[in-house]
Amino acid sequence: MSETTQPRQEVADSMELVLVLTTEAGPSEAETLAQALLEQGLVACVSILPIVSFYRWHGQTTRSEEVQLLLKTHPRCLEALHQTVMDLHSYDTPEWITLRGLAHGSYGDWCLDQLMGTISKEGGSPLTPSTRSESEDPAG
C-alpha cells in the first residue's frame, strides 16, 4: 500500500493565522484596546484572560495582576496591528509576542471574513470570503 500525496482535509481547509500576545493593566484597558483593534479591522477576535505575572522590572522582582489579550489576525495585518497596539497601549513597554499557526475549517473562514477589508488594503493576492452561514457563532 503506497502513501497518498493528497493533503489531509483539515490541512487543505486552513488559513494562516497569527496569534499575538500582549498584556494590559486591567480589564477596562484591555477592553478599550480590544474594541479599538476590532473597529479598525486589525483583528478577527480578541480573547481576554485574567493572569498573575511575575517578572523583573528595574532590578526588582514584581508581581502584577494583569489581563492577557490573545489577538487573532492575518499575517498581512500584522504590521498595522503592531503599530496600533504600540500607539494605544497603556504600558511604556508592551508585551508583543507573535505565534504563527493555522486556523482550520469554518473558524479559519470566519477569521478571514472578519479581516477581508484590511487584508485587501494591505495588498497581495486576492483572498476568497467563505460560504459559512452568518448564523454560526465562531465562539472566539
Side-chain angles (χ1 to χ4, degrees):
M1 188 160 128
S2 67
E3 287 187 32
T4 179
T5 58
Q6 294 291 330
R8 291 178 48 184
Q9 186 64 29
E10 67 265 14
V11 174
D13 292 339
S14 63
M15 73 152 244
E16 190 174 5
L17 187 73
V18 179
L19 177 65
V20 176
L21 305 176
T22 194
T23 53
E24 271 288 6
S28 94
E29 294 91 345
E31 288 181 24
T32 298
L33 182 57
Q35 286 293 333
L37 299 175
L38 284 163
E39 287 170 8
Q40 293 182 40
L42 297 172
V43 293
C45 177
V46 178
S47 298
I48 299 174
L49 308 161
I51 62 169
V52 176
S53 296
F54 291 86
Y55 53 93
R56 294 190 57 79
W57 188 249
H58 298 293
Q60 303 237 345
T61 300
T62 302
R63 178 194 185 276
S64 294
E65 292 185 15
E66 297 180 296
V67 179
Q68 180 83 61
L69 288 86
L70 309 173
L71 313 174
K72 292 110 181 188
T73 195
H74 189 275
R76 291 188 201 161
C77 300
L78 200 54
E79 187 175 327
L81 176 60
H82 181 256
Q83 185 59 55
T84 303
V85 168
M86 294 302 123
D87 290 345
L88 298 178
H89 208 284
S90 68
Y91 288 172
D92 291 335
T93 308
E95 175 183 36
W96 180 265
I97 298 172
T98 60
L99 305 166
R100 292 190 180 257
L102 297 174
H104 301 285
S106 60
Y107 184 77
D109 292 342
W110 175 81
C111 286
L112 183 60
D113 287 346
Q114 302 312 301
L115 299 166
M116 286 288 291
T118 304
I119 291 169
S120 64
K121 289 177 198 168
E122 297 299 319
S125 61
L127 300 170
T128 308
S130 85
T131 56
R132 180 190 55 80
S133 166
E134 287 300 314
S135 64
E136 294 178 44
D137 183 350

